[in-house]
Amino acid sequence: MTTKEYLNPDDLFPSLQYGFSQIVTSPPGKLVFLSGQVAWDEAQQIVGAGDLRAQTWQALRNVETAMRAAGGTLEDVVSLRIYVLQKELARSSAIREGLQSFFAADRAPATTWIGVQSLANKDFLLEIEAMGVIGER
């Protein structure tokens, strides 16, 4: 199994409490780039209309499904980019809770949150892009 290193130096703010690591390094492996995952289920129905928590969980389940399809797991995710509607930022604890539920605290991916005015569909509250590195198992 590929060994990833999760770094959270004391010289940077403590990010694990928010569900992400400051730095993740990985040896060579199969790179996986996921398109932004949203709160659509497999039938393209919105899950959790108006509910940031429900949409976060569905988007993270979709990340998990996509990583599995690529031959990996959530442990192979090294980086996330989360686009969240500006008006939802005050409720962003739902995103933090999702990250902490889906990723082990000591193996949380590096993550950037970006506040946006809108997303591709008026019902989307967030969209999550992921990058993974799948090593030999």
Side-chain angles (χ1 to χ4, degrees), residues 55-74:
Q55 288 202 18
T56 298
W57 259 249
Q58 181 62 41
L60 288 168
R61 280 192 296 272
N62 291 345
V63 167
E64 184 173 34
T65 298
M67 285 302 298
R68 195 171 35 250
T73 69
L74 286 178

Side-chain angles (χ1 to χ4, degrees), residues 8-9 13 32-34 40 48 58 63 66 69 115 118 126 129 137:
N8 292 286
F13 80 90
V32 180
F33 300 92
L34 301 185
W40 272 340
Q58 181 62 41
V63 167
S118 64
L126 84 161
E129 273 183 54
R137 302 220 183 262

Side-chain angles (χ1 to χ4, degrees), residues 6-39:
Y6 298 82
L7 305 170
N8 292 286
D10 293 337
D11 297 8
L12 297 174
F13 80 90
S15 62
L16 290 176
Q17 65 185 329
Y18 300 106
F20 65 92
S21 295
Q22 290 286 353
I23 305 158
V24 180
T25 67
S26 177
K30 176 181 170 182
L31 293 179
V32 180
F33 300 92
L34 301 185
S35 293
Q37 299 299 309
V38 294

Side-chain angles (χ1 to χ4, degrees), residues 29-136:
K30 176 181 170 182
L31 293 179
V32 180
F33 300 92
L34 301 185
S35 293
Q37 299 299 309
V38 294
W40 272 340
D41 64 14
E42 65 278 356
Q44 201 172 336
Q45 299 299 307
I46 192 82
V47 173
D51 182 342
L52 184 60
R53 183 184 188 283
Q55 288 202 18
T56 298
W57 259 249
Q58 181 62 41
L60 288 168
R61 280 192 296 272
N62 291 345
V63 167
E64 184 173 34
T65 298
M67 285 302 298
R68 195 171 35 250
T73 69
L74 286 178
E75 287 190 14
D76 297 310
V77 173
V78 296
S79 180
L80 297 172
R81 189 172 295 130
I82 302 173
Y83 301 93
V84 59
L85 290 183
Q86 289 274 352
K87 67 180 186 172
E88 296 296 323
L89 287 173
R91 295 189 280 172
S92 65
S93 62
I95 299 169
R96 175 182 48 84
E97 292 165 7
L99 293 173
Q100 291 172 331
S101 294
F102 279 78
F103 297 98
D106 62 337
R107 292 184 303 281
T111 303
T112 299
W113 299 18
I114 304 166
V116 297
Q117 290 298 107
S118 64
L119 293 163
N121 181 298
K122 66 178 180 57
D123 293 324
F124 297 157
L125 303 179
L126 84 161
E127 184 168 339
I128 302 175
E129 273 183 54
M131 188 176 108
V133 179
I134 301 172
E136 295 179 20

